[in-house]
Amino acid sequence: MIKKIKITILTIALVFTSFSFTDNYFEIAKNLDIFTTLYRELNNYYVDETDPGELMKTAIDKMLKSLDPYTNYIPESEIEDFKFMTTGQYGGIGAVITKRKDYVFINEPYKDFPAQKAGLIAGDKILEIDGVNAKGKSTEDVSKALKGQPNTTVRLLIERPYEENPFEVSFKREKISVKSVPFYSYVEEGIGYIKLRSFTRDCSNDVKNALLDLKKEGDLKGVILDLRSNPGGLLNESVNIVNLFVEKGQEVVSTRGKIESWDKIYKASKSPVDVSTPIIVLINQSSASASEIVAGAIQDLDRGVVIGQRSYGKGLVQQTKKLSYNSQLKLTVAKYYIPSGRCIQALDYSNRNDDGSVGKIPDSLMTAFQTKNGRTVYDGGGIMPDIQVEQEEVNNLIISLVRERLFFDFATLYKYQNQFFNDDSVFVIPDSAFDLFKEFLSDKSYDYKTETEKAFDVLKKKSENENYFASIENEFNTLFSEFELNKKNDLERNEKMINEILSEEIASRYAFQEGRIKTSILFDKDVNEAIKYLNDKDLYQSVLTTVD
């Protein structure tokens, strides 16, 4: 056994030597030998029983974590989850699940997939899976149990709110293909909207088909491409999506890394669909990677206007390498650069602070670049939108109601009491429902502290420490009592935001994800801003034009 290990170490050292052409192979071989002997001694002599596989997984994860968050080891047991991230496909029941206390619940079934067709709804508690008690199981445990080969049967024991007895449901798993474009439609006369969820395989064809459908349905005068909260995915799909809107041969993105022979320039290789219709790309702080390639390329080429908030700033490219025993390594191999020449990576993982943290590149060190029309853009911190839209701050009351799932639970109750809904999936909560929601909350716990309360706490503590509190205690208590009276009106003060959240949640009960998106557009500040610019050609063009 030891002989085999030494041969393996020597082989690895030679491989490293052939790739890097450096003379550090001795250091590599030495440290591999140290690790192997340490690993053996732990397994042989540690006081408690150890799990060799878990020990190795921990060691690998810690090693890769020191590099960047995107370089990951994928064991065989997690390959299916990884494939889902790149293909959007898996074998299962077709539902989003969530953990609440001791049980996992159905959070939202996908329309026309097994869970929904079998009658499962949001709020259903999973008591058993194929006769096995699900109490205490994690979402990962339940997810693995629900997934499986298509046409295999799964049997669930379900407890449903407002129904007296649990019931059993049995149905077959299917191949689940989660739509990369969950919704597209006209949001106003002449203005089309396309929501792209992720950059999975063939998503560019989904965007293309949505664009062509919009052109068939009406006179398309402007397109809103929504990439908000899109974490990215496949690089080639981002190139293909930009290609829909720019001429063949146009450079979209390039990659440069340690191995020069791997450096590559990606150009639009197909005939475009539309090179003239005005485009608005929506981004936010959770738009990353491939989303930033699309938004950045559209911005750099002055092909459209970017609206929203600064994007995440992930300018690193990953590749997967097959390892032994059906495992894989996803590792960062390059940085990507959009047409102006800028890299929008926000964090420099190669230069860490003394405490191991990684700081963002300060604005003062960012470099200016020029778009095709000569507009100034910057590197080093995500894509800065051409038009920034300030988002309404979410206060602690709303956060508490979300955390305690009270919006979710009220939507479940509302659907139970109002089974029928005749509309095209848009839902706006009636005024009477707000009073019902307040009544619903009357016996619910949703403790929260406002920023004012936190300030009161700080004032009291500091004044006590400095021996001032005794002299101001009466005034302090009077002022705090006044505040407590005012706090009781927090629900009314937040009625607008509460109604918007309830409308989206209830819409999802009747029309699933499409209903949620369609309803959210009614209250969407970014979409409204996009519509304003697309309806005013001069305003739109003014953004893309330099001022002498």
Side-chain angles (χ1 to χ4, degrees), residues 468-479:
Y468 290 127
F469 185 70
S471 62
I472 65 168
E473 184 172 3
N474 290 336
E475 291 85 352
F476 180 91
N477 290 336
T478 300
L479 184 60

Side-chain angles (χ1 to χ4, degrees), residues 423-439:
D423 205 299
D424 60 351
S425 77
V426 175
F427 181 88
V428 179
I429 194 167
D431 293 338
S432 59
F434 182 72
D435 291 329
L436 292 175
F437 183 60
K438 288 197 296 181
E439 183 182 338

Side-chain angles (χ1 to χ4, degrees), residues 61-76:
D61 288 345
K62 291 288 186 181
M63 175 177 65
L64 299 183
K65 188 178 179 181
S66 70
L67 301 175
D68 65 60
Y70 315 111
T71 298
N72 308 124
Y73 168 62
I74 308 165
E76 183 179 17

Side-chain angles (χ1 to χ4, degrees), residues 55-174:
L55 274 178
M56 182 60 76
K57 178 72 165 54
T58 301
I60 292 172
D61 288 345
K62 291 288 186 181
M63 175 177 65
L64 299 183
K65 188 178 179 181
S66 70
L67 301 175
D68 65 60
Y70 315 111
T71 298
N72 308 124
Y73 168 62
I74 308 165
E76 183 179 17
S77 61
E78 297 175 13
I79 288 295
E80 287 304 314
D81 290 336
F82 176 70
K83 287 180 179 177
F84 170 62
M85 292 172 61
T86 57
T87 65
Q89 299 179 349
Y90 66 98
I93 70 169
V96 179
I97 58 176
T98 186
K99 181 75 178 285
R100 298 182 66 173
K101 295 184 179 178
D102 290 334
Y103 287 93
V104 170
F105 289 70
I106 300 293
N107 192 72
E108 186 175 302
Y110 295 134
K111 185 180 179 181
D112 297 329
F113 283 109
Q116 187 262 324
K117 289 189 290 187
L120 296 182
I121 61 174
D124 283 348
K125 180 195 290 187
I126 302 174
L127 300 178
E128 293 181 2
I129 304 173
D130 292 329
V132 178
N133 193 337
K135 184 176 181 179
K137 302 291 186 183
S138 67
T139 52
E140 291 78 12
D141 294 334
V142 172
S143 178
K144 287 178 182 178
L146 295 177
K147 290 176 181 175
Q149 291 297 318
N151 295 320
T152 56
T153 300
V154 61
R155 180 167 48 88
L156 305 178
L157 182 64
I158 296 294
E159 181 182 291
R160 179 167 294 170
Y162 315 111
E163 292 196 10
E164 187 174 348
N165 297 314
F167 60 92
E168 192 173 277
V169 58
S170 181
F171 55 96
K172 291 186 181 298
R173 299 178 178 91
E174 295 179 11

Side-chain angles (χ1 to χ4, degrees), residues 362-380:
D363 291 348
S364 59
L365 296 181
M366 291 183 183
T367 305
F369 292 81
Q370 301 296 311
T371 69
K372 190 175 182 180
N373 288 347
R375 297 187 298 135
T376 301
V377 289
Y378 294 91
D379 68 355

